[in-house]
Amino acid sequence: MSKLSLATNAATNFQKIPLSHNSADSQASALRLVLSLFPDWETAEGQIEFIRFKEGITNTLLKAIKRRPGHTEKQIDDEAVLIRAYGKGTDVLIDRERETQSHSLLCRHGLAPELLARFQNGLMYRFIRGQVCDSDNLTEERIWRGVARRIAQWHALLPVAAASSMSDTGEKDSPPTPLKELSSVPKTSIDDINRITPDKLTPNVWTVIQKWIFALPTTSEVEKQRKDTLQKELERTVADLANVPSFGKDGLVFSHCDLLSGNVIVHPRGSGTSPSVETVSFIDYEYATPAPAAFDLANHFAEWGGFECKYKALPTRSVRRAFLEEYLASYTSYTPLPLDIDRQTYVDRLFNEIDAYRGVPGLYWGVWALIQATISQIDFDYASYAEVRLKEYWDWRAEEEGTRTKEGRDMPLRERRLAQE
């Protein structure tokens, strides 16, 4: 997708447009949005064009360009705008006020494209020129080293206090929106959600999972039992991991929490250059929240397998260690480590923390997919995906507890791959 528009002044001065995008009349509604933002595009020379990117499994993404006569493709891209319309029903999963706040925070630190406007069901922001990665790209050393550097920059520079319980509109964080199937379930309060981590800054990745579990459907006895089981597993996981000392405030750093391949953009190279480490940026901040660094990194490593969960593509122990060496070299260029602990000790410590978290992304995305299976209109088999991701969690638990070995079962492929040197 030119360089980021590092618009410090524009970070909080974006427009609020009282219109919405209509997927049934996509181009016409997108045109109204663009002309509300840039009315001169209607009369200036050159066609207005819309390019639909392959839809993710949550949102609709359009690129709007003004093809001015005589302009190069780069000049056209520098003026281009991305229109991202939220998927139907996703407010159950995502706090859109907080997403806007996160984008503004990142923009102020030069880590996100300029946020131009918010409309009733989406955002408009500047386009980033570059290559959108696929899952195979994440395994390329020149790219994963760039990713390690950029994650470290996020973790070292961004203040977790900025993601407090007040949104950029001054309104308190909202409880989960009940699904239609949940009409008989009492509404959940913020206090109920935050009780999962009473001594930590909220929201955080644990309160996000808690919010999702509270929103799970309970229309059958099977659904009720599953919800109860997942609640117990969340409480158990928080007890095991949430209070382990690590980077950041109370063990939390500002995290992306959705670093799949499509959210990694490789910047264009300079003329004739072939760097050993690519420069990358991250896009789509709807899941960004304070989280343990080990969760954000374990989640990214899980994304090397893509939506297909190709476990043979996951990074081995030696690759993960090299990634963390690159990460810490970048991290310490922004935030120094204590002088009494050498960097290799930190690499070893963080490596073990991430290994302890390797099953948690399965719980996180498994619960997410159970909700998506109920609300989404996108052609994706969320129910099957939920089972695959939750199995990752259960397989991890079986290894940690030793039950797989006691029962004489073979080690699952994912666990074998992550144990491979």
Side-chain angles (χ1 to χ4, degrees), residues 1 59 61 87 90 94 133 149 186 225 310 351 390 409:
M1 282 186 202
N59 305 305
L61 188 62
T90 53
I94 300 160
C133 288
R149 292 180 181 184
Q225 290 177 1
K310 299 175 292 186
F351 181 92
L390 288 171
R409 292 184 283 117

Side-chain angles (χ1 to χ4, degrees), residues 193-268:
I193 294 170
N194 291 346
R195 198 170 289 125
I196 194 70
T197 53
D199 300 322
K200 288 190 179 293
L201 183 76
T202 58
N204 58 61
V205 71
W206 307 114
T207 64
V208 169
I209 301 172
Q210 180 64 90
K211 179 177 176 178
W212 293 351
I213 290 175
F214 281 153
L216 286 171
T218 54
T219 55
S220 68
E221 191 59 36
V222 171
E223 289 179 337
K224 289 176 184 177
Q225 290 177 1
R226 168 169 255 179
K227 182 175 180 177
D228 289 344
T229 297
L230 292 172
Q231 179 63 38
K232 290 174 184 176
E233 291 305 316
L234 173 61
E235 292 170 2
R236 178 185 181 194
T237 302
V238 168
D240 289 347
L241 298 175
N243 294 310
V244 175
S246 191
F247 296 130
K249 181 178 176 60
D250 293 331
L252 300 173
V253 295
F254 193 91
S255 299
H256 189 286
C257 296
D258 189 24
L259 275 179
L260 50 77
S261 59
N263 288 339
V264 177
I265 308 297
V266 180
H267 291 200

Side-chain angles (χ1 to χ4, degrees), residues 283-334:
I283 60 171
D284 288 3
Y285 319 117
E286 55 195 350
Y287 298 99
T289 197
F295 172 83
D296 209 19
L297 292 162
N299 185 64
H300 173 65
F301 290 149
E303 295 296 348
W304 285 33
F307 289 123
E308 302 85 0
C309 299
K310 299 175 292 186
Y311 297 141
K312 289 183 178 180
L314 299 183
T316 60
R317 291 173 61 88
S318 59
V319 173
R320 298 199 302 276
R321 189 173 294 278
F323 185 106
L324 294 180
E325 289 169 352
E326 190 76 55
Y327 168 92
L328 279 170
S330 177
Y331 187 97
T332 54
S333 69
Y334 301 105

Side-chain angles (χ1 to χ4, degrees), residues 328 337-349:
L328 279 170
L337 298 175
L339 296 176
D340 59 336
I341 303 178
D342 65 88
R343 185 182 295 172
Q344 191 56 49
T345 299
Y346 265 99
V347 170
D348 294 341
R349 182 184 299 176

